[in-house]
Amino acid sequence: MFHQPDAEHPNGHVLLSGPIAQSIPAGIFTNNAVKNLTIDNTAGVTLDGPLGVSGILKVAAGNLASAGNLTLLSTATGTAVVDGSTSGTITGTVTMQRYLPSRFGYRYISSPFSNATVAQLSEEVELGADFPTVYNYDEDQVASGWVNYTSTTGVLSPLKGYAVNFGDTALSNTISISGTLNNGPVASAVLYNHNHTYTKGFHLAGNPYPSPVDWNSVAGWTKTNIDNAIYYFNNGTADRYGGTYSSYINGVSSDGVANNLIPSMQGFFIHVSNGSYPVAGGLEINNNARLTTLNPVYHKTTADETLLRLQAHPGTDTARKDRVAIYFQQESSIRYDKDAD
């Protein structure tokens, strides 16, 4: 059953169901694209030609065989998502896009695939540049944790983040990565806090799914010795190598923008709790944390505590802000609290 956008089906929802294997022929849809696609066929569906999905892709039952033809589209108005609440799966190579309103400076990215490599970034950045354009982060470094990661064979591992410098132009850009989609539980390697002078137990993590995830999902995460905090990087507008951080800690946003909704292909810092060093921790996520929000809006926190936000910047350089949020909680301690500070 096919529905293009019309008065009866304004969202262009395409549904394929039944007990017999089906296929979607090449060129059947305008511009080879649909908004929402649902597969509910235990015998499976195969793509016989290129198809882009701009909304929600849901495989309620059976498999969708991409055959390298499926693209999850991204524009300024939203990024396609794969519904992770069902038992169906997507097989074969898939391409996922991520729209960037500006390609100036660094972005912390992650991969929604199990087998993507740095080589796929070669169309977006110059991997052989004198100053590295892609970095991994290694907490167990005496100096800075940033490590050159421009080898084309380097794997973009699930649940890890990477810093990528996309250049010195403020023009918008859409990047794309391809591979086999992650689905189901994804776990990190053992994460440590060695209390090194510069890395201090921080790790650059990343959303491993082709959908946003909710940091607050109790059923979706297993956080072992991980603080209740995530830290986002906001690239600068004047210095392509600079920027500032915003945080979401204990339900409180440092800038009223960062929050618990982590978009697809988004990298972010986490912190292994302090303790008897080295402290071992771990992070695991499953499909319960996944959302179907097409364009996560970073709202002001909904916490009802009395809240004061302050920010400071050097001189007239308003792009480089340090922020702090002060709030009051009856259960607070005079000591550092990994779940609140």
Side-chain angles (χ1 to χ4, degrees):
M1 181 183 298
F2 301 108
H3 291 309
Q4 282 286 75
D6 54 32
E8 186 177 356
H9 305 94
N11 292 325
H13 186 190
V14 177
L15 168 66
L16 285 90
S17 62
I20 301 174
Q22 297 171 297
S23 64
I24 299 179
I28 193 171
F29 299 113
T30 303
N31 298 322
N32 292 318
V34 297
K35 185 171 184 181
N36 300 317
L37 173 62
T38 298
I39 306 298
D40 191 7
N41 185 332
T42 54
V45 174
T46 301
L47 295 183
D48 289 340
L51 182 68
V53 176
S54 60
I56 299 173
L57 172 53
K58 181 177 182 178
V59 185
N63 296 331
L64 172 62
S66 168
N69 290 312
L70 176 63
T71 299
L72 301 174
L73 303 172
S74 181
T75 67
T77 59
T79 299
V81 304
V82 175
D83 189 328
S85 66
T86 64
S87 60
T89 59
I90 300 171
T91 63
T93 298
V94 176
T95 297
M96 184 162 195
Q97 298 180 347
R98 167 54 63 182
Y99 173 83
L100 302 177
S102 168
R103 61 178 301 147
F104 187 86
Y106 283 102
R107 292 290 193 282
Y108 290 179
I109 71 166
S110 65
S111 169
F113 304 106
S114 61
N115 55 350
T117 65
V118 173
Q120 296 194 43
L121 299 173
S122 62
E123 294 184 4
E124 310 297 339
V125 299
E126 186 180 349
L127 296 176
D130 292 337
F131 196 94
T133 51
V134 183
Y135 282 92
N136 187 11
Y137 193 84
D138 182 359
E139 184 273 342
D140 194 14
Q141 295 287 313
V142 176
S144 168
W146 296 112
V147 179
N148 183 347
Y149 202 66
T150 53
S151 171
T152 56
T153 59
V155 176
L156 300 177
S157 300
L159 206 53
K160 291 193 66 174
Y162 301 88
V164 181
N165 195 307
F166 287 99
D168 57 3
T169 174
L171 297 177
S172 63
N173 187 42
T174 301
I175 65 173
S176 61
I177 301 177
S178 301
T180 303
L181 288 172
N182 293 318
N183 187 33
V186 180
S188 71
V190 178
L191 306 175
Y192 288 98
N193 181 346
H194 290 93
N195 197 33
H196 290 318
T197 302
Y198 297 101
T199 58
K200 292 290 186 182
F202 282 93
H203 292 263
L204 186 54
N207 181 349
Y209 296 125
S211 56
V213 295
D214 182 1
W215 177 254
N216 290 341
S217 173
V218 175
W221 295 90
T222 300
K223 305 167 187 174
T224 304
N225 288 332
I226 301 295
D227 292 356
N228 184 24
I230 49 179
Y231 306 85
Y232 298 100
F233 179 75
N234 305 305
N235 63 301
T237 56
D239 177 7
R240 63 178 288 194
Y241 301 106
T244 59
Y245 288 90
S246 58
S247 62
Y248 178 75
I249 303 174
N250 192 32
V252 176
S253 171
S254 65
D255 61 357
V257 177
N259 71 6
N260 55 301
L261 302 185
I262 305 171
S264 56
M265 296 178 69
Q266 173 72 64
F268 55 96
F269 269 108
I270 59 173
H271 182 255
V272 175
S273 304
N274 296 328
S276 180
Y277 303 107
V279 179
L283 192 66
E284 183 173 349
I285 187 173
N286 62 62
N287 284 348
N288 288 311
R290 296 172 66 173
L291 304 170
T292 54
T293 308
L294 294 177
N295 192 11
V297 177
Y298 298 129
H299 293 286
K300 182 178 180 179
T301 177
T302 57
D304 58 3
E305 297 94 345
T306 300
L307 180 66
L308 173 64
R309 288 193 181 92
L310 302 175
Q311 65 181 29
H313 56 80
T316 59
D317 187 0
T318 58
R320 297 171 57 196
K321 299 184 180 73
D322 279 331
R323 299 180 174 91
V324 62
I326 302 172
Y327 66 100
F328 301 90
Q329 193 173 50
Q330 283 189 331
E331 301 83 5
S332 60
S333 168
I334 61 173
R335 299 180 182 276
Y336 173 78
D337 184 343
K338 69 182 182 67
D339 292 323
D341 297 328

